[in-house]
Amino acid sequence: MNPFKFSSYFMILRRVYKSALATRDGRARYKELMTKMLRLSPQSVMNGPSAQCEERLQDGAEILNSTVKALKDGQVVAVPTDTIYGLACLAQNSNAIKKVYDIKGRNGQKPLAICVGEIKDIYKYCKVSVKEELIGELLPGPVTLVLERAEVLNTDLNPFTPLVGVRIPDHAFMRRLCQMCGEPLALTSANISSHSSTVAVHEFQDLWPRLAVVVDGGPIGDKSRLGSTVVDLSVLGKYRIIRPGCAFSSTVEVLEHKYGLSEDTRDQ
């Protein structure tokens, strides 16, 4: 046989063998990780009155059930919100919280917010010193309210601070997810710490293998990547903007001009 032809034939066989090994290993890793990729229909992510939300989420019932099961099993999931994509786990599950920090490479001294489905839930996990009408002006919406935490909240969640940020996204799927879980979610941005926030699932695909479920709600309309406006309301009659976010002007308008709060400039 021609030595050149023999060498070429051997190289082809070697490439085929290596490709087969890679395919086998890839399948093995996929079977081990089993990340579920779930695509929401456009109707499932629309916002509006709760009666309409129920109808819109009928098609997303299977996705909701799968996501709730993963959360109840102590896993971390990726979810769309009204601002950016987030990573979520049960806030009362200490092991799941540790997973979130590990996945993101997040500094353990940086807090996680909680996410609930209804305004009434805030009163269970936080000590509220502002009018309920004020909360109703800002939530559901792209705002995180920082309040004094209640004793019932997991002590392993942000143990270094007596405060906690709380969100109710203006997002039908997220609100229903919280309601079905029956307890708060710990929520943070779906990205490696210090990297840009994400507004589409492909932007954090490096994290997929470490997640139990990735819920694809499509591209998020707000492409600013600023995330929610974070405001501290833990001091009576005062407010302090921790992060301007995407709703800064409208939030300050409500706090100052409608409810008469003044800016707390201490420690700034």
Side-chain angles (χ1 to χ4, degrees):
M1 178 181 287
N2 186 313
F4 176 75
K5 288 184 177 179
F6 179 80
S7 176
S8 298
Y9 179 70
F10 178 76
M11 290 176 67
I12 291 172
L13 283 178
R14 187 178 179 183
R15 284 198 296 268
V16 170
Y17 177 71
K18 291 177 69 175
S19 176
L21 284 178
T23 299
R24 184 195 67 184
D25 292 345
R27 287 174 178 169
R29 282 194 296 269
Y30 177 77
K31 288 179 180 178
E32 180 183 351
L33 295 167
M34 291 301 291
T35 300
K36 288 187 177 180
M37 303 295 298
L38 306 176
R39 180 74 168 90
L40 284 174
S41 66
Q43 289 77 15
S44 298
V45 299
M46 293 173 64
N47 307 310
S50 57
Q52 296 179 22
C53 287
E54 289 293 334
E55 181 179 350
R56 290 164 181 165
L57 285 169
Q58 285 179 357
D59 292 338
E62 185 176 343
I63 296 176
L64 279 165
N65 290 333
S66 294
T67 309
V68 170
K69 183 180 185 307
L71 290 166
K72 293 285 188 180
D73 288 343
Q75 302 301 317
V76 179
V77 303
V79 289
T81 74
D82 53 351
T83 53
I84 55 179
Y85 272 86
L87 300 183
C89 72
L90 293 185
Q92 302 295 79
N93 187 317
S94 299
N95 289 332
I97 290 170
K98 184 179 184 302
K99 288 180 184 178
V100 171
Y101 279 93
D102 289 344
I103 290 169
K104 284 180 62 75
R106 187 175 178 85
N107 184 327
Q109 294 301 305
K110 289 187 176 181
L112 301 179
I114 63 171
C115 179
V116 297
E118 302 289 345
I119 288 177
K120 65 181 181 180
D121 298 326
I122 296 176
Y123 291 81
K124 181 175 181 180
Y125 299 101
C126 303
K127 298 177 181 179
V128 182
S129 59
V130 296
K131 294 181 179 179
E132 184 172 351
E133 292 81 5
L134 184 156
I135 295 176
E137 291 272 357
L138 300 176
L139 300 176
V143 180
T144 299
L145 303 182
V146 177
L147 304 165
E148 187 177 350
R149 59 190 293 153
E151 288 77 8
V152 69
L153 196 59
N154 183 3
T155 55
D156 289 330
L157 177 73
N158 313 334
F160 45 83
T161 175
L163 307 178
V164 67
V166 59
R167 283 216 65 198
I168 305 178
D170 188 14
H171 193 284
F173 175 83
M174 279 301 296
R175 294 186 64 189
R176 185 58 179 153
L177 181 64
C178 292
Q179 292 163 1
M180 289 178 65
C181 286
E183 56 184 295
L185 303 181
L187 187 65
T188 185
S189 56
N191 60 322
I192 299 294
S193 286
S194 79
H195 290 200
S196 296
S197 299
T198 56
V199 293
V201 294
H202 73 268
E203 294 181 344
F204 58 91
Q205 60 186 358
D206 288 348
L207 301 183
W208 292 359
R210 305 189 67 183
L211 306 173
V213 172
V214 174
V215 179
D216 183 358
I220 293 177
D222 179 12
K223 300 297 193 299
S224 68
R225 303 178 189 269
L226 295 176
S228 63
T229 294
V230 182
V231 56
D232 185 343
L233 297 178
S234 62
V235 178
L236 186 63
K238 302 281 188 179
Y239 77 89
R240 182 166 65 93
I241 299 295
I242 296 175
R243 182 177 71 191
C246 63
F248 172 74
S249 298
S250 59
T251 300
V252 171
E253 175 72 21
V254 168
L255 296 175
E256 287 190 358
H257 300 138
K258 191 161 186 178
Y259 289 92
L261 274 65
S262 58
E263 185 175 9
D264 185 353
T265 57
R266 294 177 298 174
D267 300 324
Q268 288 189 355

